[in-house]
């Protein structure tokens, strides 16, 4: 019938079971002390069972109202956090000096710590982005500087290549002049 276990359902069944047991036992405990009118003993027993079930149901409603509702609030807030709705979840308020009060206090402390952590992460990311922007600017300037130096080196290399060509031409001319001078030299 039921697929998954449920603490709330178990609590309901336990309270109703205790009410039923009380309704069944009460007439037995009272019997030695009560004088019943003829035919009312069965009606009294039936009313005791009904009263026991009503008390069990009322107890469950009270537990549900005062115990389970705050737990449900914490659960809904945790669901909103897990669902990605952010840490700006509403803080819970329950002024109670017991386990539920401590649960709410710990939940609110968790929210505070998560908000602090989120703020530190945001600050770190912003600092990283600023540093990355600065690094990007420095890298851009470095690339521009390397480009300028590369242009100067390319220009110098072109100049040296031109000078080499001129020196080769001069060497060729000097070679011809030397050959001509040897030819013009008188024989002794």
């Amino acid at each position: 019938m039921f697929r998954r276990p449920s603490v709330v359902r178990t609590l309901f069944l336990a309270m109703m079971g205790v009410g039923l047991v009380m309704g069944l036992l009460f007439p037995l405990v009272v019997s030695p002390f009560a004088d019943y009118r003829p035919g009312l003993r069965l009606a009294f027993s039936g009313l005791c069972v009904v009263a026991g079930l009503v008390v069990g149901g009322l107890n469950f409603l009270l537990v549900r109202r005062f115990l389970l509702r705050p737990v449900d609030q914490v659960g809904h807030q945790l669901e909103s956090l897990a669902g990605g709705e952010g840490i700006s979840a509403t803080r819970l308020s329950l002024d109670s000096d017991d386990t539920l009060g401590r649960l709410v206090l710990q939940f609110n402390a968790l929210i505070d710590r998560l908000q602090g952590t989120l703020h530190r992460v945001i600050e770190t990311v912003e600092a990283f982005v600023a540093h990355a922007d600065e690094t990007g600017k420095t890298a851009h300037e470095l690339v521009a500087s390397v480009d300028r130096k590369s242009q100067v080196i390319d220009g110098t290399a072109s100049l040296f290549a031109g000078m080499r060509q001129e020196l080769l031409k001069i060497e060729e001319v000097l070679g011809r002049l030397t050959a001509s001078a040897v030819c013009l030299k008188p024989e002794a």
Side-chain angles (χ1 to χ4, degrees):
M1 183 171 155
F2 299 112
R3 292 186 216 189
R4 296 176 51 192
S6 169
V7 173
V8 175
R9 186 174 37 246
T10 302
L11 183 63
F12 173 75
L13 293 174
M15 288 186 167
M16 294 304 284
V18 168
L20 179 63
V21 168
M22 291 304 293
L24 291 172
L25 290 179
F26 186 75
L28 297 175
V29 171
V30 172
S31 294
F33 308 104
D35 290 326
Y36 297 104
R37 291 186 189 162
L40 290 181
R41 182 180 193 123
L42 186 59
F44 178 73
S45 296
L47 287 175
C48 286
V49 168
V50 170
L53 291 174
V54 168
V55 168
L58 288 175
N59 281 336
F60 176 74
L61 292 176
L62 290 172
V63 166
R64 189 171 176 175
R65 165 78 171 95
F66 294 108
L67 179 69
L68 298 179
R69 186 175 289 171
V71 173
D72 279 344
Q73 289 175 342
V74 172
H76 290 302
Q77 293 297 346
L78 289 173
E79 284 175 3
S80 70
L81 283 174
E85 293 181 24
I87 300 178
S88 60
T90 307
R91 294 174 56 82
L92 298 175
S93 63
L94 177 68
D95 188 20
S96 182
D97 189 24
D98 56 14
T99 303
L100 282 178
R102 286 189 300 277
L103 175 69
V104 168
L105 285 174
Q106 290 303 314
F107 177 81
N108 289 337
L110 172 68
I111 293 296
D112 292 341
R113 284 191 300 271
L114 287 175
Q115 285 175 334
T117 301
L118 178 63
H119 289 304
R120 285 191 302 277
V121 167
I122 289 171
E123 289 171 356
T124 302
V125 167
E126 287 172 348
F128 177 77
V129 168
H131 182 70
D133 287 345
E134 191 62 34
T135 302
K137 289 177 188 174
T138 303
H140 181 71
E141 291 169 1
L142 182 61
V143 167
S145 175
V146 168
D147 284 346
R148 285 190 302 273
K149 289 179 182 174
S150 177
Q151 290 172 354
V152 169
I153 290 171
D154 287 346
T156 304
S158 293
L159 181 64
F160 280 129
M163 286 175 62
R164 183 177 182 274
Q165 290 299 321
E166 291 302 316
L167 286 174
L168 288 173
K169 287 179 188 175
I170 291 172
E171 182 183 28
E172 184 183 326
V173 168
L174 284 176
R176 279 191 246 145
L177 282 176
T178 304
S180 297
V182 168
C183 289
L184 293 178
K185 189 178 195 189
E187 287 186 32

